[in-house]
């Protein structure tokens, strides 16, 4: 939730609703000039936070898009979900990275991309080819992975089965996927060591995250953390306090104060009739009826389990102190027939 709330104020600026200069940028325009040196190291956690914010934005856009079809037939978007996700990714890329050399997460953290292919020591924005390469290397593998089975079916390469003539195709695809995942893992280990290029696509295209300002203070908003700590502390306090409160006795006292007269009348009528049709705890017909010293009747298992759990048990109906459960003795009148 905290990520989505942080992204919401930025959405207007993404599509040119807050900053007027965004509307004046063209497709080939570069990011604004910066005084920050590209050699200034960026914290690893900051780069990973930017990736998480970008992923949260994609999920937020997809959720809002899918809600537009919530009243349609179920499963309407499922056949085209990979293509729609890739299209939304390209749409966000067009209005963020392509126009300003920075993503949503990087903009929130005062970062933007610097081209490592440039020989200049100063900041150099990404070229159009690098931006397009980043988009394809980010959305392309994801789309191929989701559509690999359908593409093989269309090409007729799965009819032979794993051991048929086309089994080598699956073997090659599995090998390529494994190599790609291994390369991504090695790249992440290198990132942990050197602090650059957290994803393989950035290393391939020569895109490096750098600060967009000369002096950047890493602002940490403790509001969300304080709120979480407060609620966790309150929850722990309730967990400690609730077992000390005899809720059954409290409920019985309140019930007797509010509905005392009405219940007394009803109980009197039932007592006059000599019929107990309801357990005072579960509300069902009493099984093996027992009493605890008052005029109410309980199932044996109900009153026994409650007496074991609470040594100071009181009757939930009238609030009387509960004694040892004793079976109910009822006098039966047998009427003979002639």
């Amino acid at each position: 939730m905290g990520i989505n709330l942080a992204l919401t104020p930025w959405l207007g600026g993404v599509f040119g609703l807050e900053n007027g200069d965004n509307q004046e940028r063209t497709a080939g325009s570069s990011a604004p000039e910066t005084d920050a040196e590209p050699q200034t190291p960026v914290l690893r956690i900051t780069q990973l936070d930017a990736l998480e914010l970008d992923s949260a934005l994609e999920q937020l856009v997809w959720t809002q898009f899918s809600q537009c079809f919530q009243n349609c037939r179920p499963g309407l978007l499922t056949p085209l979900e990979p293509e729609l996700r890739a299209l939304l990714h390209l749409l966000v890329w067009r209005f963020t990275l392509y126009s300003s050399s920075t993503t949503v997460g990087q903009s929130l953290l005062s970062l933007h991309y610097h081209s490592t292919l440039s020989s200049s020591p100063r900041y150099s924005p990404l070229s159009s080819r690098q931006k397009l390469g980043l988009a394809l290397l980010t959305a392309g593998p994801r789309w191929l992975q989701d559509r690999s089975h359908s593409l093989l079916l269309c090409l007729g390469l799965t009819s032979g089965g794993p051991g048929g003539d086309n089994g080598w195709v699956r073997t090659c695809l599995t090998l390529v996927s494994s190599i790609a995942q291994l390369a991504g893992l090695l790249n992440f280990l290198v990132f942990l060591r050197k602090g650059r290029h957290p994803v393989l696509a950035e290393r391939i295209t020569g895109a490096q995250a750098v600060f967009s300002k000369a002096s950047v203070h890493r602002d940490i908003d403790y509001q969300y953390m304080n709120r979480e700590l407060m609620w966790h502390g309150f929850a722990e306090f309730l967990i400690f306090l609730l077992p000390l409160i005899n809720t059954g006795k409290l409920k019985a006292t309140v019930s007797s104060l509010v509905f005392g007269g009405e219940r007394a009348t009803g109980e009197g009528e039932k007592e006059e009739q000599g019929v107990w049709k309801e357990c005072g705890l579960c509300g069902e017909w009493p099984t093996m009826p027992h009493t605890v010293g008052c005029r109410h009747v309980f199932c044996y298992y109900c009153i026994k389990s409650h007496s074991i759990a609470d040594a100071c048990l009181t009757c939930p109906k009238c609030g009387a102190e509960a004694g040892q459960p004793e079976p109910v003795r009822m006098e039966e009148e047998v009427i003979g027939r002639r």
Side-chain angles (χ1 to χ4, degrees), residues 148-167 169-170 173:
S148 58
H149 183 68
S150 301
L151 292 176
L152 291 178
L153 287 178
C154 294
L155 297 176
L157 299 177
T158 59
S159 58
D165 297 336
N166 299 323
V169 178
R170 288 188 175 184
L173 291 177

Side-chain angles (χ1 to χ4, degrees), residues 264-305:
T265 305
E267 292 294 339
E269 294 178 358
K270 288 185 179 180
E271 189 174 359
E272 290 177 0
Q273 297 175 1
V275 179
W276 293 276
K277 299 181 180 180
E278 181 181 343
C279 171
L281 291 172
C282 66
E284 301 293 335
W285 187 276
T287 303
M288 299 176 61
H290 279 63
T291 182
V292 290
C294 62
R295 55 191 176 187
H296 300 100
V297 178
F298 309 91
C299 299
Y300 172 74
Y301 295 105
C302 293
I303 191 62
K304 191 64 177 178
S305 60

Side-chain angles (χ1 to χ4, degrees), residues 6 55 65 72 79 110 120 145 162 166 186 204 235 241 264 275 321 326:
S55 178
F65 177 77
C72 299
S110 300
S120 174
Q145 184 178 3
N166 299 323
L186 294 177
I204 294 175
L241 182 63
V275 179
E321 295 291 338
E326 297 181 358

